[in-house]
Amino acid sequence: MSITFRIATPADDAPGPVAVINARQLAAFRRYLRDEGQRLGLSLLDPDADEERVLAYNFEARICPLAIAAIARVFDHDQAVIAVLDEAQFRGRRVLVWWYEADRSIRMRPSLTSDLGTELQLADSDAYALLAGLGLMTDGVGKIPIATVRDRLTNPAVRRRAAEDGITHDLERLNALLATTDADDSSRLEWA
């Protein structure tokens, strides 16, 4: 089991735009992402598998390196899709595509995953050690304001305890995660 740490903003608390796409558009979108990924030398699909229907219909895609107008062409300039793409790019997030079983539709929305995938994923034991080292409750799910985490990361006692516990590397990775965001006072670190 693992725990993922990520930066959350107030926008994550509100429902974002959702678009319904068809199978033809899905296939064209996956093909477009593969072509552009190869051209740019980037992996834009996660996971990238066509063999299993579950994976082919449930994936995240990086779109921030791409032009919205070019992606929108794949979806016949559908306004709902453009709203999803625009929101994802504005927030620096990936888009999530999934198969909605209730009505058998294929849907797309902005993901909670950052475009660069900078989230910190740790094994449970490492995550609990990191949380304890920061002086936080070692619960598998939680949140704390970014400012509080930054203060704790600069505390010499926390640094010393991290070195003693052998989690300095994870502390540095957490610090790098915090550095990737233009967080304001309303941003928070969440883990689950």
Side-chain angles (χ1 to χ4, degrees):
M1 301 300 291
S2 65
I3 295 176
T4 301
F5 294 83
R6 71 177 194 86
I7 305 299
T9 65
D12 295 325
D13 301 331
V18 176
V20 176
I21 62 175
N22 62 45
R24 180 192 58 78
Q25 292 170 327
L26 173 68
F29 183 47
R30 291 178 66 84
R31 193 168 39 256
Y32 175 78
L33 290 170
R34 283 192 187 109
D35 291 346
E36 288 301 299
Q38 188 173 28
R39 183 181 68 80
L40 297 169
L42 299 171
S43 176
L44 299 176
L45 284 167
D46 182 28
D48 185 4
D50 279 332
E51 297 78 35
E52 292 185 49
R53 188 178 94 177
V54 172
L55 294 179
Y57 286 148
N58 296 285
F59 63 91
E60 291 186 339
R62 290 189 62 196
I63 61 155
C64 289
L66 308 171
I68 290 177
I71 303 169
R73 191 175 34 216
V74 171
F75 298 98
D76 303 318
H77 301 282
D78 181 282
Q79 290 182 350
V81 172
I82 292 171
V84 169
L85 299 173
D86 186 53
E87 181 72 12
Q89 278 200 349
F90 178 75
R91 292 176 46 204
R93 301 294 174 92
R94 296 177 182 192
V95 294
L96 174 67
V97 175
W98 81 100
W99 185 60
Y100 189 65
E101 289 189 49
D103 65 2
R104 298 182 181 266
S105 64
I106 304 166
R107 298 186 180 191
M108 172 191 287
R109 70 169 171 82
S111 174
L112 294 176
T113 305
S114 65
D115 184 68
L116 294 174
T118 55
E119 288 70 19
L120 174 60
Q121 188 170 6
L122 297 173
D124 284 351
S125 58
D126 293 338
Y128 293 139
L130 178 62
L131 290 168
L134 291 170
L136 300 171
M137 297 290 287
T138 54
D139 294 331
V141 177
K143 62 184 173 184
I144 187 170
I146 295 291
T148 304
V149 177
R150 286 187 171 140
D151 287 344
R152 291 183 185 199
L153 286 172
T154 60
N155 184 328
V158 169
R159 293 282 178 184
R160 187 173 47 258
R161 190 172 33 225
E164 291 169 2
D165 295 341
I167 61 166
T168 303
H169 177 71
D170 292 333
L171 213 60
E172 293 306 322
R173 290 178 60 200
L174 179 60
N175 201 31
L177 171 62
L178 297 177
T180 63
T181 183
D182 295 328
D184 59 19
D185 292 339
S186 63
S187 297
R188 62 196 181 270
L189 176 70
E190 291 184 344
W191 60 92

